Amino acid sequence: MLNQPIVVAGAGAIGCFVGGLLAAAGHPVTLLGRPRILDHIRSHGLRLTDFGGLDCAVDGSDVTLSDDLACLASARIILVCVKTGDSATIAHAIATHAAPTATVLSLQNGMEAAQVLRQCLPQFDVRAGMVPFNVVPTAAGSYHRATSGDIVIEAGPKDIGQHLDTPDLMFTETGQIEAVQWGKLLINLNNGLNALSGLTLQEQLLSRPWRCIMAAQMAEALLVLKAHGISAASTTPLPVGLIPWVLRLPTPLFSRVATKMLTIDPTARTSMSYDIELGKPTEIDALQGLIIDMGAQKSVPTPMCIRVSQQIKRAQDARQGLPNLTPSDLN
């Protein structure tokens, strides 16, 4: 089974971390990405670490590095790790270069990415996936997994999860991937707040005013999903409906509950925080933007999601780094 070539389409933080660990486990992996990132890997190799003590070095010669879309032709499994807004572009490349027998697995944020891939690739086995952890670049070729959780992918005719599963990178399959994705989207509504705050995730989650804003967003989103008849599966030990209530608890109580829910590296920030810091486009439209649009369809108000979306877009357009707002700036 280890002889099935894997192409990681989008060698960013998630793509390099996942692809690197798969290569370390013996899979033939090609990282398809930008020359700048690939040059770092050629020069330094990959160093993959995490909050639990993982420290894995992958030599640059142990992965194939390519910025040529034609490398998709060799793939039996394609892990799509590009941003949601680039889904149609990479789908066109897959349709042009890859064999229809390849399995296409979306490891992207939001609900739209896998839908776009399915629409553009009707002949392919396209699976949605959910990556619960975040990965941050720490140096050239170095990536650090800063939060906990196992990857969940959509079940299908081939047991892709078992094939990809490694001790340091666990995959599980589910027949309810959409509910799992909605649960992850609810949690990801905090991505924008973390970027606006300029704080680490740990600092932000220990601030009750910031948690109350996160709770307000989640409460709006849950009402929107209910209006559409959509169920969300929790990605934490708590039912999704209880999470806003827990977020509003006084910090000492919240801290006791949260330590059982999620392990967070003290330096962790969300990917959107890094996007704003580097002046890159964000995925706000695939998160708050989706909830706002769905709320409008059912006349469900989403004022907090709207405020957060507006502030992220201001920061994105300003290209002046993290805005370092306070909770009062959003109330």
Side-chain angles (χ1 to χ4, degrees):
M1 288 291 284
L2 289 179
N3 63 358
Q4 296 193 43
I6 298 168
V7 174
V8 177
I14 290 289
C16 285
F17 189 86
V18 171
L21 285 181
L22 291 173
H27 292 275
V29 173
T30 296
L31 298 179
L32 171 61
R34 294 184 176 89
R36 176 182 60 83
I37 293 176
L38 301 182
D39 287 344
H40 287 162
I41 298 171
R42 286 190 186 95
S43 300
H44 305 280
L46 282 168
R47 185 178 179 191
L48 311 171
T49 58
D50 76 1
F51 61 88
L54 171 72
D55 194 342
C56 176
V58 181
D59 192 270
S61 62
D62 291 337
V63 291
T64 301
L65 305 171
S66 180
D67 60 0
D68 185 351
L69 294 169
C71 73
L72 291 162
S74 67
R76 294 289 299 277
I77 300 171
I78 301 170
L79 305 182
V80 179
C81 300
V82 300
K83 287 192 177 293
T84 298
D86 295 325
S87 298
T89 300
I90 197 63
H92 176 73
I94 293 169
T96 301
H97 297 285
T101 52
T103 300
V104 179
L105 179 57
S106 168
L107 299 183
Q108 302 162 274
N109 278 332
M111 304 298 300
E112 299 175 4
Q115 295 170 5
V116 170
L117 293 176
R118 288 193 188 99
Q119 291 166 4
C120 297
L121 300 168
Q123 293 180 297
F124 288 77
D125 175 13
V126 177
R127 315 265 190 101
M130 187 278 291
V131 180
F133 52 80
N134 78 323
V135 174
V136 297
T138 55
S142 296
Y143 298 92
H144 183 76
R145 178 168 53 189
T147 55
S148 59
D150 298 334
I151 296 175
V152 181
I153 64 173
E154 183 176 4
K158 304 171 191 174
D159 194 350
I160 298 297
Q162 184 177 3
H163 173 60
L164 297 176
D165 210 23
T166 76
D168 296 316
L169 189 71
M170 305 294 289
F171 286 77
T172 60
E173 294 196 4
T174 179
Q176 298 181 314
I177 190 63
E178 286 196 7
V180 171
Q181 286 181 295
W182 281 116
K184 174 69 184 310
L185 185 144
L186 291 171
I187 298 297
N188 277 353
L189 293 175
N190 189 52
N191 288 7
L193 291 184
N194 184 244
L196 294 175
S197 73
L199 303 172
T200 66
L201 273 169
Q202 192 174 85
E203 290 169 335
Q204 184 211 342
L205 290 174
L206 289 176
S207 165
R208 189 165 183 258
W210 278 115
R211 293 200 310 275
C212 286
I213 294 175
M214 183 180 174
Q217 286 189 116
M218 288 189 68
E220 291 175 3
L222 285 167
L223 288 175
V224 168
L225 296 187
K226 183 178 180 180
H228 283 267
I230 294 171
S231 297
S234 180
T235 58
T236 78
L238 286 175
V240 290
L242 281 180
I243 295 177
W245 180 81
V246 170
L247 289 169
R248 295 186 180 104
L249 289 172
T251 297
L253 288 176
F254 171 79
S255 297
R256 291 175 63 184
V257 175
T259 55
K260 300 177 182 179
M261 292 169 52
L262 183 66
T263 302
I264 302 176
D265 190 288
T267 63
R269 292 186 286 141
T270 64
S271 58
M272 196 175 294
S273 177
Y274 286 96
D275 289 340
I276 293 292
E277 191 171 51
L278 298 172
K280 295 167 62 176
T282 72
E283 294 183 316
I284 195 69
D285 287 337
L287 299 172
Q288 275 82 353
L290 179 60
I291 296 300
I292 293 165
D293 290 344
M294 291 175 63
Q297 293 168 19
K298 296 291 186 178
S299 300
V300 178
T302 54
M304 187 56 75
C305 287
I306 290 171
R307 283 183 218 134
V308 173
S309 177
Q310 290 171 340
Q311 291 286 3
I312 285 290
K313 291 182 177 181
R314 285 195 190 103
Q316 186 174 289
D317 293 342
R319 292 179 173 272
Q320 294 180 349
L322 299 174
N324 297 317
L325 301 187
T326 67
S328 61
D329 293 320
L330 289 165
N331 287 319

